[in-house]
Amino acid sequence: MWRFALLFLLAYPTLAQEVIVYGGSGKGRGADSFLERANHIDVISPQVYAVDSLGNVRGGVPERLLNEAKQTGTHLMPLIMNPGFNQEIMHGLLNNFDAQRKVVDFMVEEGQNFGYWGWQFDFENIDHTYKDRFTDFFRMAASALHEAGMTASVAVVPTNDQSEDSGFSRYMQENWRGNFDMAAIAEAGLNRIHIGLETGSNALLKLVDKGTTKEQHVEAGRKTKKAGIELSEYVMPGLGGKENSRE
């Protein structure tokens, strides 16, 4: 079954509602809901591609979703990721230029074959010392995708570039937030950034161990917009369950 999260695109005067789809194929209510609401959806992004450290890519958009997106005129922008957000895989890829080139060539060919609107980088859990290598990788991909008529997006973890001296905050900054050079990837051709806001409640953010606050989300959003990048925020209705529904 496909799983859905609500997303708001904060790039235009009027908010556009999008649906981001995580998961693979299968018969279920999620797929039916997509068809029912397709006229309200701009972009659909299935999380279906995974890479290894050698640049091999596996996965694909289910045929049913390909056909339904075409039928409804909905843009397809699949996610490509390091499976399980495995850091060793990502570091191996960023240390291997030929492997990166292999990934980019695959994205271009696959996108052209299936008519993708673009791709979203969902590479996470990267040590902050790999920031420049990640930027170079994205620069290469964005250039090739734009030349092929596709858009390029990155899913990021919000940050204000600050952390505590030790503990979880420092771990998050060094492994999940500190590897994104916003200005550099914007200059490299980033069209938009996707951030998992989840909720505007600090109590719920703490409950789910998000590792950030709503104030940090606002500050990160302002920095993103200042860099000239379109900003999209994921919102998860019902995150706190019935007992926290008023949050």
Side-chain angles (χ1 to χ4, degrees), residues 211-228:
T212 188
T213 65
K214 64 181 181 181
E215 291 79 14
Q216 287 176 316
H217 274 283
V218 170
E219 185 175 352
R222 287 173 175 164
K223 290 175 64 176
T224 300
K225 298 295 290 180
K226 186 177 181 180

Side-chain angles (χ1 to χ4, degrees), residues 93-134:
L93 180 64
L94 293 177
N95 284 327
N96 188 332
F97 177 82
D98 290 338
Q100 294 171 44
R101 183 75 258 176
K102 186 176 180 180
V103 173
V104 172
D105 289 344
F106 173 89
M107 294 169 70
V108 170
E109 183 177 0
E110 188 86 345
Q112 291 177 327
N113 286 342
F114 293 104
Y116 294 159
W117 181 66
W119 288 84
Q120 181 180 144
F121 269 41
D122 194 18
F123 298 121
E124 302 185 41
N125 191 18
I126 305 169
D127 189 271
H128 66 289
T129 59
Y130 281 75
K131 178 188 290 187
D132 291 342
R133 274 170 278 193
F134 179 82

